[in-house]
Amino acid sequence: VELAAIPLVACTVLQALRPVIASYGGEQHLRGRKCFIQGGSGGLGHIAVQYCAHVLGMHVSTTCSPAHFGLLRSYGASEVIDYHTPRWEEGLLDLDVFIDTMGHVYEDIVYSASSRIMRRTGEPPSHYVRIASSPYRRDAKDPLSRDQLGLAIPEARLDRMLVGYLREWYRGLLSSIKYHFCLLYTSPSP
């Protein structure tokens, strides 16, 4: 059953990076570019690390616990950071792509005026990719967090979709860093 999720995750990675690849004029123009993937040992992160390192030829940095350092290096990560380290993000400089698998947890840090995490000049622009997922829970007390109709498609919630696309529009107006919103459709475990 767990293997059934791999095509969904792989398609999400491809969907999330499609605008980035187009902006650079094709996969071959991403070779050697700097990419950071939050949560490299997670369900989406481990596929993203392999795709960015081996298919796109990017220099990949990622976070995980020390127990997974060797695994992520074997997947192609050039730099592996212990996410337990306080303020680990301060070591990231002039990235071309930031993939936030935590659903905008690092957005404010990346877009702050004093941040040097993303490359802010040059062409093509750098990209912040937000991947959103938050499964419904059938037993949730909050009516907005319950799957009322039994559809189990969490991102069908209009509030989450609207906020994601409004952030993309807003960030596009105010920053040289391109913002992309991508949905990962999941359903809760029975």
Side-chain angles (χ1 to χ4, degrees):
V1 172
E2 287 88 13
L3 285 176
I6 291 176
L8 173 67
V9 171
C11 286
T12 302
V13 170
L14 293 174
Q15 175 191 355
L17 290 170
R18 185 183 344 199
V20 176
I21 293 167
S23 172
Y24 278 81
E27 292 177 358
Q28 68 276 13
H29 299 292
L30 284 164
R31 297 212 177 283
R33 298 286 185 162
K34 292 167 58 176
C35 175
F36 174 77
I37 300 166
Q38 172 60 32
S41 61
L44 189 128
H46 77 281
I47 299 290
V49 167
Q50 293 174 76
Y51 181 73
C52 290
H54 297 297
V55 176
L56 301 178
M58 299 180 82
H59 171 84
V60 177
S61 299
T62 189
T63 56
C64 67
S65 67
H68 296 109
F69 280 14
L71 177 67
L72 288 170
R73 284 192 181 103
S74 74
Y75 285 168
S78 307
E79 180 181 10
V80 184
I81 303 163
D82 181 355
Y83 72 89
H84 297 105
T85 304
R87 302 178 63 94
W88 56 262
E89 65 276 356
E90 291 177 356
L92 301 173
L93 296 172
D94 298 323
L95 294 173
D96 296 294
V97 180
F98 188 113
I99 300 174
D100 189 349
T101 63
M102 306 293 284
H104 81 81
V105 170
Y106 295 96
E107 180 179 337
D108 290 336
I109 294 170
V110 167
Y111 279 96
S112 73
S114 62
S115 174
R116 295 190 50 222
I117 293 173
M118 303 296 290
R119 178 179 48 78
R120 295 189 181 263
T121 59
E123 288 294 326
S126 57
H127 295 261
Y128 172 84
V129 180
R130 173 187 172 203
I131 300 176
S133 173
S134 49
Y136 285 122
R137 293 186 52 210
R138 294 190 194 288
D139 61 342
K141 304 231 182 295
D142 174 14
L144 287 177
S145 296
R146 282 193 301 247
D147 183 9
Q148 300 285 357
L149 302 175
L151 298 175
I153 303 175
E155 299 306 339
R157 283 185 47 182
L158 291 179
D159 60 331
R160 291 190 181 149
M161 290 176 63
L162 183 61
V163 167
Y165 289 115
L166 282 174
R167 283 176 179 268
E168 184 171 7
W169 173 78
Y170 170 76
R171 295 290 189 189
L173 291 176
L174 300 177
S175 177
S176 61
I177 302 168
K178 299 296 180 192
Y179 184 102
H180 304 288
F181 176 64
C182 181
L183 304 174
L184 172 61
Y185 296 100
T186 59
S187 60
S189 300

